[in-house]
Amino acid sequence: MSPPDADPDAAEQLAKLGLDELMVLVGRGDQGAFVPVYEAVSGPVLGLVRRVLRDPAQSEEVTQDVLVEVWRTAGRFRPEQGSALTWVLTLAHRRAVDRVRSSQARVERERRVALLESVPPFDDVVEQVETGLEQQQVRRCLQSLTELQRESVVLAYYHGLTYREVAEYLSQPLGTVKARMRDGLMRLRDCLYEGEVRP
């Protein structure tokens, strides 16, 4: 966001005011007062945002967002609660942290998608089972489970995911996954035991 063009006479009067006074005027919709505010805070805002984000392009984008937010929300500024610069830098820090969290969430989503794509087909999982039981019996017993039970067991025991990771991966509550996995393992145990003792 670029500052509006300032009237030379008005700019001279505004130059005599401090940043806090200017911010109060901006809060009342004074576009002319926003020019010196913009000039005073844009550098510190960009510096703070770059320290948080590191990425120059993202930092400039977030800085512009912050300056737009300053213009839109200046009416919330209260001089008795702190300086205008501190108020602006607080906005900037929040915006930068939000961007970091957003980026981290995107990376995590991409990681989950990659994990989903890397999960081998069901038959491949069964073929890799390292036990003395016949693969046919394991396949039959796993097929006897509900879909959620089977997915939970496969992800936890053949892919090494924790209960919490399984819950996140399947978009299910942690308690639900724990209960389904417990029930599934009991059914699996009963099915395999039944298969072992069958003549």
Side-chain angles (χ1 to χ4, degrees):
M1 177 180 182
S2 297
D5 293 331
D7 173 56
D9 294 335
E12 191 175 324
Q13 291 178 346
L14 291 170
K16 299 173 183 175
L17 300 177
L19 188 56
D20 290 3
E21 296 168 299
L22 290 168
M23 188 66 76
V24 170
L25 292 176
V26 173
R28 294 175 187 159
D30 188 328
Q31 290 189 9
F34 186 66
V35 174
V37 168
Y38 181 100
E39 291 170 350
V41 303
S42 56
V45 167
L46 179 59
L48 184 149
V49 171
R50 282 194 74 163
R51 282 196 298 277
V52 175
L53 295 181
R54 307 286 183 196
D55 180 84
Q58 281 197 55
S59 298
E60 289 179 12
E61 187 180 324
V62 170
T63 296
Q64 290 299 313
D65 291 344
V66 170
L67 294 170
V68 169
E69 187 177 358
V70 168
W71 168 250
R72 289 179 179 163
T73 65
R76 298 179 191 164
F77 168 64
R78 297 290 178 268
E80 64 276 10
Q81 295 178 357
S83 74
L85 184 58
T86 299
W87 182 76
V88 171
L89 291 179
T90 300
L91 292 180
H93 187 262
R94 285 182 190 150
R95 280 272 184 165
V97 169
D98 286 346
R99 178 62 67 93
V100 169
R101 288 177 179 156
S102 174
S103 296
Q104 288 172 340
R106 179 179 47 76
V107 168
E108 181 60 21
R109 280 194 302 273
E110 290 172 357
R111 185 191 71 80
R112 288 181 191 164
V113 168
L115 177 62
L116 178 61
E117 291 171 350
S118 70
V119 172
F122 180 66
D123 285 343
D124 290 350
V125 172
V126 173
E127 287 172 12
Q128 293 169 13
V129 173
E130 295 177 1
T131 113
L133 298 171
E134 293 293 328
Q135 291 178 0
Q136 222 173 17
Q137 184 182 356
V138 174
R139 182 181 291 111
R140 176 180 61 80
C141 291
L142 281 171
Q143 289 288 9
S144 73
L145 305 180
T146 67
E147 185 178 353
L148 181 56
Q149 288 172 340
R150 185 170 57 250
E151 287 180 330
S152 299
V153 169
V154 168
L155 289 170
Y157 288 90
Y158 300 127
H159 293 281
L161 272 63
T162 64
Y163 283 129
R164 186 172 300 282
E165 288 170 337
V166 171
E168 290 177 0
Y169 182 81
L170 297 177
S171 300
Q172 295 286 336
L174 181 59
T176 300
V177 165
K178 284 184 175 179
R180 296 297 180 274
M181 198 177 297
R182 183 188 65 239
D183 295 344
L185 288 172
M186 288 172 64
R187 287 179 62 178
L188 192 60
R189 182 198 62 198
D190 292 343
C191 177
L192 293 173
Y193 178 75
E194 177 185 298
E196 280 184 332
V197 297
R198 184 175 293 166

